[in-house]
Amino acid sequence: MAMENVNTNNQFGAKSILKILSIMVVSVTLIVIAMPNTEKPKLTYETGNPWTNAQLISPGEILIQKDPRIVEQEQQEALQNEYLPYYSLDKSTGEKQTAAFISQHSDGDLSAYCLQSVANILADIYKQGIISLSDYTKLTSEDSLASIIIVDDKIASRKPVRDCLSTKQAYELLFNDKRIEAEKEKLQKININEFLVPNVIYDAQRSEQAKHDIIAMIPTNSGVIKPGQEIINRGDIITEEKARMIDSYNAFLDTQSNNTWYDLLRTNGIQWTYVAMLMLMLMLYLQLFRRDYLPKQRSLNMVFFLVTVFPVVNSIIMRFDPRNIYILPICLVPMFIRVFLDSRTAFMTHVVTVLICAAPVSDKFEYIFIQMSAGVIAICGLRAISKRSSMFLTAGYVAVTCLVAYTVTKFLNNKDVTFELLKHSYMCFVLNGILLLLAYPFMLFVERAFGFISPVTLIELSDTNRGILRELSERAPGTFQHSIMVGNIAAAIASEIGAKSLMVRTGALYHDIGKLRRPTFFTENQAGINPHTRLTPQVSAKVIISHVTDGVEKAKENGVPDVLRNFILTHHGKGLTKFFYNTYKNEHPNEEIDDTPFRYPGPNPFSKEQAILMMADAVEAASRSLSKYDEESIAALVNKIVDSQVAEGFFNECPITFRDIATAKRILIERLGAIYHPRIQYPELATKEQKQDAAETI
């Protein structure tokens, strides 16, 4: 059996190594593409804390940038003091409106003198300039002494707004002129407003350019860092001035790094090699210590999916604001690996993920210490997940661990740390804890996407008071009791040999649900009448074998996951229905018999848990036929059945060992002995006659 497993692994390696390498290459490439393409990561800091990195030296001439808030304030003050809006003077407007007035009213009631007077007044008004009422009101309300720049052809001149006229003022000025006093009433009947239109028009393009020129004149730097000059040394307190120098250094890196294809190839090559080495470490661990995961494509897909997604999201956060990297709940990686695989793989995967995520982070020690501490707590918190609250409690433990670990690292470097300095990071850790609460719904997504089943789901499925299990207890009570006993025995074996006890217990509850279709054809549900007495051995065998296919169909109808349906398929493997096969053979001693009609469809077990269920199911069912239940008879039965299963090759395709089988035999003997232990006979109370006879005898 050990040789069979080795051959299977070798065959797997020859066929699937290319697929595994392809997944690795895709994962590494996606991670590297998302990483910031800088030779040095942006430096992060917190003002008031000591500088924990190495001494920082200027690589070139760097302009010290001002605080953006100060620059913005200076720009606003400059605009307020220096900016004047631009307006264009349209000389043709006055001429057109004056000509239109004379043309429309030359044949009317107005005298020639009045017409000429109005024309002269309009000419004076347009020469002074008309601004729209809305613009005039806005300009004068903001500043009573406001001025504008009026562009006349190519000549620009500054002019107070009060020296211009609004359309309303132009109308009043015209009617207050003494030259039209005599015919004022006639003019009031004419709509003069249609001839008073703005000829001083706002010039948006020149105005915006003027704003841009003023802003451009405001310097954004306050000094220069010379090449080779020290910016900050390890242990120095980060003041406002030092903070601006560090920001200037980061900006300088953005302008200087990766300007050529050679730079890009070099930087990406280094990053690709770094990530690839970590991925190879993970694969080496799986190859040496978790080889059984390699043939399971879903396991590899989940591991590489998680190890790829979180570093990619981490790099995206680093591009926008490195201070928010602690919001990302990286502990989801070990949490899911722990739930669906095992603790050691969860820890190794978490180590690789954290080291990849730490690549673009400036304070790598702090980041790795915090994330590793949180990851260990996450794994320990889920060591015995049995209910939904376990996920939420673990999320709380992780958030508290992050807060404590972060505070410790800060006080190690600076004893005068204040809450104000830690507030932003604390908020990040609180958000991290809130996002960790999404672990439970996201766990359902992982189950569906990769075909896993979590302990919480198994516990829900093992509830015997609802669904198909309740139906089994009502319609086939003998099968139901058999399933419970098999589940208890199988779980005890699984716990002893390091298999998944909760999974095998749940699988045992469902393994015989196919008997619901014809419950009375199975001995545990019969009450004195055996319907097989009226059937031929072939038909009886067909009915018995059908409980496997019927069980799979029933499981699909009720949404039972594939992992549990496999227990239904494999609990008899490719074995024979020996009772009916032997009966038919005895009836036809001289006939060459094809055993296909008497053989279960299989497949044989391909996991430890399925092998355990096969042993427990066969032994528990056969134990009911024993005439006496002493240790010798039980041991003989167990050895006979299990050895027969081994000899027929039922376990050649699963990773169970001879030591595991020996342990399973021992537990089967112990459990059956406990179940069928002899009972003492209780004494009855003696009658009066018996008491009298006893007294006379004495």
Side-chain angles (χ1 to χ4, degrees):
M1 181 162 50
M3 184 61 69
E4 292 276 355
N5 289 335
V6 171
N7 291 337
T8 301
N9 288 333
N10 291 338
Q11 185 181 11
F12 161 76
K15 290 183 177 180
S16 303
I17 191 68
L18 183 60
K19 183 180 289 187
I20 295 175
L21 288 176
S22 300
I23 296 174
M24 285 183 58
V25 170
V26 171
S27 296
V28 172
T29 304
L30 290 174
I31 293 170
V32 172
I33 290 174
M35 278 186 175
N37 290 320
T38 54
E39 296 185 6
K40 292 183 179 180
K42 282 190 176 182
L43 301 172
T44 57
Y45 62 88
E46 291 185 15
T47 306
N49 284 346
W51 181 253
T52 57
N53 297 317
Q55 182 185 32
L56 191 61
I57 303 296
S58 173
E61 186 173 278
I62 302 176
L63 297 177
I64 302 176
Q65 298 177 343
K66 292 181 181 178
D67 188 325
R69 293 171 297 180
I70 296 176
V71 173
E72 183 179 0
Q73 182 180 353
E74 291 178 351
Q75 290 173 347
Q76 293 298 326
E77 291 176 356
L79 288 174
Q80 186 176 358
N81 297 329
E82 301 177 23
Y83 168 70
L84 295 177
Y86 276 72
Y87 281 77
S88 297
L89 177 63
D90 186 358
K91 294 181 178 179
S92 63
T93 301
E95 297 173 356
K96 290 177 182 178
Q97 296 302 324
T98 301
F101 175 79
I102 294 176
S103 173
Q104 292 180 24
H105 299 286
S106 58
D107 297 333
D109 296 336
L110 298 176
S111 64
Y113 173 78
C114 182
L115 285 173
Q116 187 59 44
S117 298
V118 172
N120 292 336
I121 296 170
L122 288 174
D124 293 338
I125 289 174
Y126 280 109
K127 185 177 180 180
Q128 188 173 350
I130 302 177
I131 302 178
S132 67
L133 181 59
S134 60
D135 281 3
Y136 189 91
T137 304
K138 180 180 178 181
L139 291 168
T140 54
S141 63
E142 292 177 354
D143 184 0
S144 59
L145 301 177
S147 297
I148 59 175
I149 303 294
I150 296 180
V151 179
D152 184 359
D153 290 333
K154 296 182 180 181
I155 300 174
S157 58
R158 177 172 177 169
K159 185 175 183 178
V161 177
R162 298 269 181 202
D163 290 350
C164 298
L165 298 171
S166 67
T167 50
K168 180 179 179 181
Q169 290 174 331
Y171 181 87
E172 294 173 349
L173 182 63
L174 188 148
F175 275 95
N176 290 331
D177 197 294
K178 293 182 179 180
R179 286 174 286 181
I180 62 168
E181 186 69 30
E183 298 183 61
K184 188 174 182 178
E185 292 183 1
K186 294 180 180 180
L187 283 172
Q188 288 176 339
K189 297 177 182 180
I190 298 172
N191 185 12
I192 295 295
N193 282 322
E194 65 178 298
F195 304 105
L196 297 171
V197 297
N199 68 330
V200 179
I201 311 300
Y202 177 70
D203 191 331
Q205 184 177 355
R206 285 194 174 100
S207 297
E208 290 301 318
Q209 183 61 42
K211 289 181 180 180
H212 182 270
D213 293 342
I214 293 172
I215 290 174
M217 294 295 293
I218 304 299
T220 58
N221 57 80
S222 59
V224 177
I225 306 174
K226 296 180 180 180
Q229 179 181 339
E230 178 188 286
I231 297 176
I232 192 169
N233 200 355
R234 187 189 295 272
D236 291 349
I237 300 299
I238 303 173
T239 61
E240 292 290 342
E241 181 182 359
K242 292 291 186 181
R244 290 197 299 272
M245 294 174 72
I246 296 171
D247 289 339
S248 303
Y249 174 82
N250 284 331
F252 177 80
L253 289 182
D254 288 339
T255 60
Q256 296 296 315
S257 60
N258 297 331
N259 291 324
T260 66
W261 281 105
Y262 171 76
D263 293 329
L264 287 172
L265 289 174
R266 181 180 63 178
T267 303
N268 288 336
I270 293 171
Q271 293 174 340
W272 203 95
T273 304
Y274 173 77
V275 177
M277 288 178 65
L278 290 171
M279 288 291 196
L280 286 172
M281 288 169 52
L282 179 59
M283 280 305 304
L284 184 62
Y285 161 80
L286 294 174
Q287 175 67 20
L288 293 176
F289 303 105
R290 288 293 181 266
R291 204 169 197 178
D292 55 312
Y293 291 155
L294 296 181
K296 301 175 183 177
Q297 193 64 42
R298 61 179 184 177
S299 299
L300 290 176
N301 289 342
M302 182 185 70
V303 169
F304 281 107
F305 172 77
L306 294 174
V307 176
T308 301
V309 167
F310 283 88
V312 167
V313 176
N314 183 76
S315 295
I316 294 173
I317 294 174
M318 286 293 299
R319 288 176 181 270
F320 287 95
D321 190 350
R323 296 181 305 162
N324 294 329
I325 55 173
Y326 290 118
I327 294 177
L328 182 64
I330 293 180
C331 285
L332 285 176
V333 175
M335 289 172 70
F336 288 131
I337 301 294
R338 170 64 188 86
V339 169
F340 295 115
L341 298 179
D342 64 273
S343 297
R344 279 195 243 178
T345 304
F347 180 74
M348 186 64 188
T349 306
H350 185 59
V351 170
V352 171
T353 305
V354 170
L355 291 177
I356 293 174
C357 291
V361 178
S362 59
D363 195 343
K364 293 177 175 56
F365 168 76
E366 175 189 288
Y367 182 84
I368 293 174
F369 175 71
I370 293 172
Q371 297 294 1
M372 291 303 300
S373 301
V376 170
I377 295 300
I379 294 170
C380 294
L382 295 176
R383 67 188 183 278
I385 178 172
S386 58
K387 48 188 177 181
R388 294 185 184 91
S389 60
S390 300
M391 300 293 290
F392 298 105
L393 289 174
T394 301
Y397 297 152
V398 169
V400 172
T401 301
C402 289
L403 288 169
V404 173
Y406 176 75
T407 305
V408 167
T409 57
K410 291 304 178 186
F411 275 98
L412 279 175
N413 298 314
N414 183 10
K415 295 182 179 179
D416 298 325
V417 174
T418 62
F419 175 76
E420 197 65 29
L421 297 175
L422 306 178
K423 183 170 63 175
H424 177 80
S425 295
Y426 279 175
M427 290 301 299
C428 290
F429 290 125
V430 171
L431 291 174
N432 184 299
I434 293 173
L435 291 176
L436 280 173
L437 296 178
L438 299 175
Y440 184 74
F442 192 52
M443 184 171 66
L444 297 177
F445 163 77
V446 174
E447 285 189 41
R448 300 293 187 271
F450 299 102
F452 285 100
I453 186 166
S454 68
V456 175
T457 302
L458 288 173
I459 291 171
E460 292 174 347
L461 290 171
S462 61
D463 185 355
T464 58
N465 291 316
R466 63 177 187 175
I468 195 170
L469 294 182
R470 181 180 180 87
E471 183 183 356
L472 184 67
S473 68
E474 294 173 350
R475 294 183 52 202
T479 300
F480 179 72
Q481 292 300 323
H482 161 71
S483 299
I484 290 178
M485 292 181 67
V486 170
N488 291 336
I489 296 171
I493 298 172
S495 298
E496 190 74 18
I497 68 173
K500 298 176 181 177
S501 59
L502 181 57
M503 179 177 290
V504 74
R505 184 194 296 273
T506 310
L509 291 174
Y510 285 87
H511 81 284
D512 270 344
I513 59 174
K515 294 180 179 180
L516 278 170
R517 185 174 181 182
R518 303 180 184 91
T520 58
F521 280 79
F522 301 89
T523 56
E524 66 266 24
N525 300 312
Q526 294 171 0
I529 300 175
N530 187 354
H532 290 287
T533 57
R534 300 188 301 271
L535 303 176
T536 64
Q538 295 99 319
V539 174
S540 292
K542 184 178 180 180
V543 171
I544 296 299
I545 291 171
S546 67
H547 87 275
V548 172
T549 53
D550 292 341
V552 173
E553 292 177 5
K554 194 79 172 176
K556 288 181 179 178
E557 292 172 4
N558 288 269
V560 178
D562 290 340
V563 176
L564 298 182
R565 294 207 293 265
N566 289 333
F567 283 98
I568 301 173
L569 286 169
T570 60
H571 75 279
H572 286 294
K574 295 181 180 179
L576 284 170
T577 52
K578 290 185 177 180
F579 179 88
F580 299 109
Y581 175 75
N582 292 338
T583 300
Y584 184 82
K585 195 170 183 178
N586 292 333
E587 292 175 356
H588 304 80
N590 300 322
E591 182 181 334
E592 186 175 345
I593 300 174
D594 178 13
D595 65 1
T596 303
F598 299 93
R599 191 171 292 279
Y600 286 96
N604 289 327
F606 48 86
S607 71
K608 275 188 179 183
E609 290 76 17
Q610 293 164 9
I612 292 169
L613 178 62
M614 173 180 273
M615 288 186 279
D617 177 50
V619 170
E620 198 283 330
S623 67
R624 299 172 184 269
S625 63
L626 289 174
S627 57
K628 58 179 180 178
Y629 294 98
D630 55 18
E631 185 176 352
E632 291 182 3
S633 59
I634 291 174
L637 176 69
V638 170
N639 287 319
K640 176 184 176 182
I641 292 176
V642 176
D643 289 345
S644 173
Q645 291 173 337
V646 173
E648 292 181 36
F650 289 158
F651 306 140
N652 288 348
E653 299 168 19
C654 65
I656 197 167
T657 65
F658 287 115
R659 176 179 291 181
D660 295 337
I661 293 174
T663 303
K665 285 182 180 180
R666 176 176 56 80
I667 295 175
L668 283 167
I669 294 170
E670 292 174 356
R671 286 304 178 104
L672 289 176
I675 292 172
Y676 297 113
H677 66 275
R679 273 75 169 175
I680 61 173
Q681 186 173 2
Y682 287 88
E684 296 182 0
L685 291 174
T687 61
K688 291 182 179 179
E689 292 77 5
Q690 290 172 334
K691 291 179 180 179
Q692 185 176 358
D693 293 341
E696 293 174 354
T697 303
I698 295 173

